[in-house]
Amino acid sequence: MVLPRLPRITVEVVFDFVCPWCYLGVHRLQQLRASRPDLPIAPQWRPFMLNPDMPRPGISRADYTARKFGDEERARRFHAAVAAIAAEDGLDLAFPRISRAPSTVDAHRLIRFAHDHGPVEDLVLAIFRAYFTEGRDIGDAATLAALAAAHGLPRDRVAAFLAGDRATDQIHADNLFVHRLGINGVPCFIIDGQTAIAGAQEPGILERLVELAASDAALS
């Protein structure tokens, strides 16, 4: 017996590249897609700016940590706790390697640009990995161009795009839009435009929500 084909379900991922929970959440979404290829999930990537006023060159990680946490010991405890949870999922969060807190505007712009060349999920994860595991400056255009080239994008065109301001206003507008929707924390997953769930959810939870959305869509 041939089972009916499930309708395509959009999963909007609201995220920022400097959010470790977003890295974990996107990783878990990837795990779900790998384990359930029969679920026709169509990810869409929605920028959320945790630091919308961050200067484009970024600032030193030490200065950022001091502003955010107040003292080094508090930051160390937080980072250790997050890293331990991520390690259970096979992610290496090497916070001591990070030397700069970047603006993520250009990283989000790159994802918008990359949409014209195919799926971007692998590039999204590569940018997360570059920042949290390798300690690279993902606010640097040359770093982003190199990551894009490693995933099949034309380096020269990426570099030219990042050198300009195209799509910058759209990134800020998208950020304002998701805030106006009432999304104040990330990651947030919006399933088929109907159900929103925040946090780095386990794959099984996302799986049930997608299955429910697919069932509802099949009946409508």
Side-chain angles (χ1 to χ4, degrees):
M1 181 178 67
V2 178
L3 294 176
R5 184 177 179 83
L6 293 173
R8 195 167 179 81
I9 298 300
T10 298
V11 176
E12 298 174 71
V13 186
V14 185
F15 75 107
D16 199 6
F17 282 109
V18 292
C19 166
W21 300 115
C22 292
Y23 185 14
L24 181 57
V26 172
H27 173 72
R28 288 175 170 174
L29 177 63
Q30 185 189 50
Q31 288 180 315
L32 171 58
R33 297 187 72 197
S35 66
R36 289 292 310 274
D38 59 305
L39 283 180
I41 296 173
Q44 292 185 357
W45 307 94
R46 302 294 188 195
F48 185 100
M49 308 295 292
L50 284 169
N51 305 302
D53 298 323
M54 177 69 70
R56 290 296 275 272
I59 62 175
S60 76
R61 178 72 176 181
D63 287 346
Y64 176 75
T65 299
R67 296 178 189 180
K68 183 175 178 65
F69 295 99
D71 65 80
E72 185 63 32
E73 179 58 25
R74 183 181 175 196
R76 188 196 64 77
R77 290 196 303 269
F78 172 78
H79 291 154
V82 178
I85 294 171
E88 295 178 0
D89 273 57
L91 295 182
D92 175 20
L93 302 189
F95 289 102
R97 295 179 186 169
I98 301 172
S99 62
R100 292 197 67 75
S103 165
T104 56
V105 171
D106 284 341
H108 285 299
R109 289 174 63 221
L110 173 59
I111 296 306
R112 183 178 289 271
F113 173 88
H115 267 298
D116 294 336
H117 295 81
V120 299
E121 185 173 352
D122 287 346
L123 179 57
V124 169
L125 284 163
I127 296 172
F128 273 123
R129 189 181 310 112
Y131 181 64
F132 283 110
T133 300
E134 301 166 6
R136 297 167 70 180
D137 181 2
I138 60 168
D140 175 66
T143 297
L144 292 173
L147 290 168
H151 286 78
L153 295 173
R155 184 192 292 258
D156 290 346
R157 287 186 59 196
V158 170
F161 172 80
L162 293 175
D165 285 324
R166 187 154 55 97
T168 298
D169 288 345
Q170 290 172 291
I171 296 301
H172 286 290
D174 286 349
N175 174 62
L176 182 61
F177 175 73
V178 296
H179 277 87
R180 285 177 173 170
L181 287 179
I183 298 172
N184 296 309
V186 285
C188 183
F189 300 91
I190 304 173
I191 314 297
D192 203 31
Q194 301 295 321
T195 303
I197 185 167
Q201 300 297 327
E202 295 285 349
I205 295 175
L206 293 175
E207 180 180 18
R208 288 192 290 275
L209 290 174
V210 171
E211 285 180 330
L212 180 60
S215 296
D216 289 345
L219 292 173
S220 62

